[in-house]
Amino acid sequence: MPRLTEELIRKRAEHNEGVLADLEEVALHQQELEKIENVEACCRHIKILLLQNNIIPKMEGLNKLKELEYLNLALNNISKIEGITGCESLKKLDLTVNFVGVEELEESVHNMKGNIMLEDLYLTGNPCEDWPGCRAYLVAHLPQLKQLDGKLILPAERIKARQNLPTLQQDLQRAIEASLAKKAEEAGVPVSEGAYTKESRNEMYLEMAAQKEEQARNERRRMGTEAKEPRVVPGVYNARGDLRQCNEGKYDFNFDDTDPTKLIFELAVPKYLDTSALDVDVNPNYVRVVVKDKVTQLKLPSEVHADASKVQRSRVTGSLKIEMPLTQPGRIREKAEKQPDLEPLKPAPTPKDVPRPKAAVSVSNIYKDPRRVSGKQKPVELLREVKTTRLSTEKDSGESIEGLQEEEVEKPPEQSESNPHLVEKPPEQSESNPHLVEKPPEQSES
């Protein structure tokens, strides 16, 4: 459940720009508040205080509000009027729909007698109103009242109430006994569902508060403003139980162990960082510095005097210097043997590094099969030129031409010497007609 904090009051005082010193009015209704607190300390000059529709069970934290004029506590769980004796300027008090019963009526009236400025009182909806003499009893005991439950008090009514005061006092005692007897009878009887009681109101407002919180959480998640969980500062030892060595802030540091009497550790923290944000812990075996939840911790090579160590900070650079005297000067713990560094794998040798044979090797004709390729390729003569002679007469010319036409018989292709089965390729055929073979050149008719 939310509390009535200074932050909440300042948030509800937006009309006064969040200033509480001179705040005169503040509305804190429907905030699911359970207690009145921090009002006296923050709002001494408050005049109007609205606290209706909460689940406040007790009137407290109001006595120092000397300038308070209007107090609204309607729709709460108040069962007795108290804690307002010091409110000297109180003029109006609203306690509509609360739980002020006849058992607490006499004491409540006695607590209001000190408020001489009280003129307006509202008690509608309280159990004490069930007693018929409640109004007359209040009018008779509180002469300063001018209006009760929104109805003016006439002088005749006041005179009559004062005359009947002894009778009203006896009736009140009988009403108190009857109320107590009724409560005793109903002690073991379960309350019916939907009954208007303090418990039911508390349960209802708790559900409302949970719903509001869920809606606010969803809105923060949607807007990306949800508060992150606080970071957990790592401990001194790691998961293996060894001293932790880390530099989470990634600050530059220097560790000097050249002096045989002391160890010096310097850490370059931000220059303008407040010193209150630094936490230094010097242990005989380690030094630990926490800078804004970031740990820088180192394991010391030798044991030191933690109580005699000195921590200083430079005003110029802001760096931190820690001097730690050794318990045994001149003796530094032997450092562990350095492990050999692992060498990376060497790349495979490139072709340039591959050794070459000394003798020259010929690679010509490595893709030819000697069984299929002949050693010599002789030219193939398909046609032979024929020399012709021109004759004198036309008659003889035709006969002579026929005699001179000597058809050259194609010589069969010679077989390869190296491969007797390999025969020369026949003449190529025409692409357009595969049966057409090249003809010899035509002879002249003459």
Side-chain angles (χ1 to χ4, degrees):
M1 296 293 288
R3 297 182 60 185
L4 184 52
T5 60
E6 181 180 351
E7 181 181 359
L8 178 60
I9 299 174
R10 197 178 299 276
K11 180 180 178 182
R12 302 295 294 180
E14 296 178 352
H15 58 282
N16 201 42
E17 298 181 355
V19 180
L20 304 182
D22 58 348
L23 183 64
E24 295 183 355
E25 179 180 355
V26 63
L28 298 167
H29 58 281
Q30 296 181 352
Q31 298 294 323
E32 291 81 38
L33 301 176
E34 292 182 312
K35 186 179 180 181
I36 304 174
E37 53 186 346
N38 296 320
V39 179
E40 292 178 333
C42 302
C43 311
R44 285 296 185 93
H45 302 284
I46 193 73
K47 293 183 178 181
I48 301 175
L49 182 58
L50 306 177
L51 290 167
Q52 69 269 26
N53 208 349
N54 287 290
I55 49 175
I56 300 172
K58 185 178 181 181
M59 296 175 63
E60 57 184 346
L62 301 170
N63 253 328
K64 296 181 181 180
L65 303 179
K66 304 296 182 180
E67 301 179 18
L68 183 63
E69 297 179 0
Y70 175 34
L71 176 61
N72 192 336
L73 286 168
L75 294 168
N76 278 279
N77 295 345
I78 297 173
S79 56
K80 183 171 62 174
I81 302 174
E82 59 183 342
I84 56 173
T85 307
C87 300
E88 301 172 354
S89 304
L90 186 61
K91 296 180 180 180
K92 183 178 180 180
L93 177 61
D94 192 349
L95 290 169
T96 304
V97 191
N98 275 274
F99 295 89
V100 180
V102 290
E103 300 89 348
E104 296 85 9
L105 181 59
E106 185 175 2
E107 186 177 355
S108 299
V109 171
H110 177 73
N111 293 333
M112 287 188 289
K113 287 184 177 181
N115 303 106
I116 58 176
M117 302 292 293
L118 185 61
E119 300 176 352
D120 200 355
L121 177 64
Y122 290 86
L123 290 175
T124 304
N126 285 270
C128 64
E129 290 283 327
D130 296 338
W131 176 48
C134 179
R135 179 179 175 87
Y137 185 83
L138 292 170
V139 171
H141 280 281
L142 300 174
Q144 69 271 27
L145 286 181
K146 295 181 180 180
Q147 186 171 318
L148 180 60
D149 294 334
K151 186 178 179 181
L152 291 175
I153 302 174
L154 300 177
E157 183 182 2
R158 191 182 305 276
I159 295 173
K160 185 178 179 180
R162 292 181 65 86
Q163 292 176 352
N164 297 331
L165 185 57
T167 307
L168 293 173
Q169 193 70 37
Q170 296 176 2
D171 292 344
L172 177 61
Q173 296 299 326
R174 287 192 293 268
I176 293 174
E177 294 175 359
S179 178
L180 294 175
K182 184 179 180 181
K183 288 183 178 180
E185 293 177 359
E186 296 176 352
V189 179
V191 180
S192 61
E193 186 178 356
Y196 189 79
T197 60
K198 293 182 180 180
E199 292 75 13
S200 63
R201 292 192 80 251
N202 289 336
E203 184 178 355
M204 178 179 63
Y205 276 80
L206 285 174
E207 294 178 359
M208 292 173 58
Q211 292 176 2
K212 286 184 178 180
E213 181 64 26
E214 183 66 23
Q215 291 177 359
R217 189 183 302 110
N218 294 338
E219 183 66 16
R220 290 193 299 268
R221 189 181 298 112
R222 186 182 67 85
M223 299 297 294
T225 58
E226 187 175 8
K228 298 181 180 179
E229 296 182 0
R231 184 178 182 275
V232 179
V233 179
V236 177
Y237 298 93
N238 55 21
R240 297 187 300 272
D242 301 332
L243 282 173
R244 188 187 302 275
Q245 298 202 83
C246 60
N247 185 10
E248 295 181 341
K250 298 183 180 180
Y251 301 115
D252 296 335
F253 66 91
N254 182 30
F255 192 83
D256 185 9
D257 58 353
T258 57
D259 193 333
T261 60
K262 61 183 178 180
L263 300 175
I264 301 176
F265 175 68
E266 295 184 4
L267 183 65
V269 298
K271 179 179 178 180
Y272 298 103
L273 181 67
D274 190 19
T275 308
S276 60
L278 302 177
D279 184 13
V280 181
D281 180 18
V282 179
N283 194 274
N285 297 321
Y286 66 87
V287 58
R288 177 186 175 94
V289 181
V290 181
V291 184
K292 296 178 66 175
D293 297 336
K294 300 294 182 65
V295 178
T296 300
Q297 180 173 312
L298 292 178
K299 187 177 181 180
L300 301 178
S302 183
E303 189 173 347
V304 299
H305 285 292
D307 53 352
S309 300
K310 182 171 62 175
V311 181
Q312 295 176 330
R313 190 179 182 190
S314 174
R315 294 183 178 180
V316 179
T317 62
S319 61
L320 194 68
K321 182 179 180 181
I322 306 175
E323 295 183 2
M324 300 165 283
L326 297 171
T327 56
Q328 297 179 356
R331 294 184 59 184
I332 302 296
R333 187 166 52 198
E334 295 181 0
K335 299 181 180 179
E337 296 182 2
K338 186 178 181 181
Q339 298 293 336
D341 297 335
L342 297 178
E343 297 182 359
L345 295 177
K346 296 182 178 180
T350 58
K352 296 182 180 179
D353 301 334
V354 177
R356 297 183 177 180
K358 297 181 180 180
V361 179
S362 177
V363 294
S364 60
N365 299 328
I366 61 175
Y367 296 107
K368 293 183 180 181
D369 190 352
R371 297 174 299 178
R372 293 181 176 274
V373 181
S374 60
K376 295 181 180 181
Q377 294 183 357
K378 296 182 179 180
V380 180
E381 296 181 1
L382 300 178
L383 298 175
R384 180 178 299 174
E385 295 182 357
V386 178
K387 185 178 181 182
T388 60
T389 305
R390 185 176 181 181
L391 300 178
S392 59
T393 61
E394 295 179 0
K395 183 179 179 181
D396 297 334
S397 62
E399 296 176 357
S400 61
I401 290 173
E402 293 177 0
L404 292 174
Q405 289 178 351
E406 297 179 4
E407 293 182 357
E408 183 68 19
V409 180
E410 293 181 3
K411 188 176 180 180
E414 297 181 1
Q415 296 179 350
S416 175
E417 295 179 0
S418 59
N419 192 351
H421 300 286
L422 183 61
V423 183
E424 296 293 335
K425 186 177 180 181
E428 295 181 357
Q429 296 177 347
S430 174
E431 295 179 359
S432 60
N433 193 350
H435 302 286
L436 182 62
V437 184
E438 294 184 3
K439 294 182 181 181
E442 295 181 357
Q443 298 179 355
S444 175
E445 294 179 357
S446 62

